[in-house]
Amino acid sequence: MHLFDHPDFDGHEQVVFCADPESGLRAIIAVHDTMLGPSLGGCRMWPYASDAEALRDVLRLSRGMTYKSALAGLPLGGGKSVIIGNPRTDKTEALLRAMGRNVERLGGRYIVAEDSGTGVPDIKTMAQETTHVSGVVEKTTGTGGTRSGDPSPSTAYGVFVGLKAAVRHRLNRTDLEGLTVAIQGVGSVGGHLAHFLRDAGATLWVTDINAEQARRVAESVGATAVAPDAIFDLDVDVFAPCALGAVLNDDTIARLTSPVVAGAANNQLAEERHGQMLSDRGILYAPDYVINAGGVIDVYYERAGYDHERVMRHVESIADTLTEIFARADAERRPTAAVADGMARQKVGRAR
Ligand code: NAD
């Protein structure tokens, strides 16, 4: 396996391979950059087919976190961790505590939060071994109640304001009344997003590989549920990918007719060139790590001092950042994703 000449190695500051034979833990922690602050990022648990696949994922995801926090204006660097294993069958308290000890050994250079395959209870288990955790503390809400540490509602709110900014730029409209939106994946983020959009008057189509989940969300927001593969062929204003990565590829981009793509999923572009392909087709793409930064903003304030209004104002700044990216992309005739990468690299002094 290649390491220093790995295609996704981007001068990462530290890549730690963690093994704990007693609990069966096999994990990788990647600290990409701590120029702006300690690295913060989720811990993904996934049954990777190979160690190489896990390494590729953690290298790419940790770099994405550097860019995400930089453009969200947070004093944080980028890091991420992956546990190789099936979250349904391999997750034990011993394994999570062993992961916590590995995080602790980094002395605060990496702060762990939840990601696919891990949730608030898992991070709380890691917290028995380390203080370098986030996304675990109950938070106040706008209505004076409390909610769990799960950052998904803030992520969804950021996607909502970012989607509005994209619609304003591309379709020249400020209200969402009657706007047609197709949401792929109505889990934690997609589900909340559907409610924000419904309340703003949008007409929705939803899909999920979990058909029961799609039916439940469709019923609660008055949306039309469609089969997973049908979501790319709808004649809508906005396609909102809120499921998996690599969803924007040769096949799907050729099928999409929506003038805007704005959603929460990480690593939406299958390859860098797909940013250009979207732009060539006249589709305005809201770069994923910019529009989905509401979650990292939320977990940042959990450690810095949580105040609901302050967090919401910070999340709303995602719209301004996107508007600047869209304007620059127009002026420079470059894909929005390339413009965002350039701005992020400049912020962390990694411009090459
Ligand atoms: P989730 O697991 O709660 O929801 C994802 C949903 O997508 C699930 O219901 C799943 O069944 C569905 N799905 C998976 N593959 C699909 C497919 N091919 N077609 C249709 N549906 C499919 O996850 P989430 O927390 O809502 O996150 C969604 C995306 O947003 C992920 O890519 C995640 O990395 C990204 N993201 C999440 C947050 C957060 O705060 N949760 C923050 C930033 C980015």
Side-chain angles (χ1 to χ4, degrees), residues 14-31 39 41 43 80-84 93-113 122-123 125-133:
Q14 212 169 358
V15 181
V16 184
F17 294 84
C18 317
D20 181 66
E22 258 175 49
S23 65
L25 175 76
R26 288 188 308 136
I28 312 174
I29 303 174
V31 176
S39 72
C43 174
K80 202 89 180 183
S81 56
V82 295
I83 297 177
I84 301 166
E93 182 180 344
L95 179 136
L96 294 169
R97 290 185 71 147
M99 185 65 189
R101 287 193 293 279
N102 277 283
V103 171
E104 179 62 20
R105 280 184 202 126
L106 286 169
R109 287 172 50 73
Y110 170 64
I111 300 163
V112 65
D122 303 325
I123 307 304
T125 304
M126 292 182 200
Q128 293 179 48
E129 304 285 350
T130 180
T131 54
H132 307 302
V133 298

Side-chain angles (χ1 to χ4, degrees), residues 1 26 64 67 84-85 89 102 108 142 158 205 223 237 242 252 265 276 339:
M1 195 191 328
R26 288 188 308 136
Y67 290 3
I84 301 166
T89 51
N102 277 283
W205 281 261
D237 297 315
C242 298
T252 59
Q276 183 68 54
V339 169

Side-chain angles (χ1 to χ4, degrees), residues 44 151-152 155 184-185 187-189 208-209 242-244 264-266 292:
R44 180 166 290 191
S152 308
T155 305
Q184 182 197 35
S188 308
V189 181
D208 201 293
I209 45 167
C242 298
L244 294 180
N266 276 314
N292 71 18

Side-chain angles (χ1 to χ4, degrees), residues 112-281:
V112 65
E114 49 272 77
D115 199 80
S116 309
T118 61
V120 175
D122 303 325
I123 307 304
K124 282 187 171 165
T125 304
M126 292 182 200
Q128 293 179 48
E129 304 285 350
T130 180
T131 54
H132 307 302
V133 298
S134 202
V136 290
V137 174
E138 282 210 345
K139 291 155 187 167
T140 50
T141 64
T143 53
T146 58
R147 63 170 174 84
S148 86
D150 174 12
S152 308
S154 295
T155 305
Y157 184 56
V159 174
F160 174 65
V161 298
L163 185 153
K164 281 203 290 187
V167 165
R168 194 162 50 238
H169 188 84
R170 182 66 175 77
L171 303 175
N172 203 19
R173 52 180 290 187
T174 49
D175 74 296
L176 302 190
E177 195 62 48
L179 185 90
T180 51
V181 184
I183 307 178
Q184 182 197 35
V186 279
S188 308
V189 181
H192 286 293
L193 177 65
H195 283 89
F196 283 125
L197 288 167
R198 189 271 316 266
D199 293 348
T203 304
L204 305 175
W205 281 261
V206 298
T207 195
D208 201 293
I209 45 167
N210 179 340
E212 174 53 23
Q213 174 86 348
R215 193 200 56 75
R216 214 158 26 84
V217 173
E219 200 173 278
S220 71
V221 296
T224 307
V226 299
D229 193 53
I231 201 79
F232 304 107
D233 303 314
L234 298 171
D235 182 14
V236 289
D237 297 315
V238 181
F239 173 58
C242 298
L244 294 180
V247 67
L248 301 171
N249 52 47
D250 291 338
D251 169 48
T252 59
I253 296 173
R255 289 162 66 185
L256 288 177
T257 54
S258 63
V260 172
V261 172
N266 276 314
N267 296 336
Q268 291 173 31
L269 301 176
E271 293 171 41
E272 211 174 304
R273 67 185 173 85
H274 291 115
Q276 183 68 54
M277 193 172 165
L278 285 163
S279 156
D280 291 344
R281 292 213 59 218

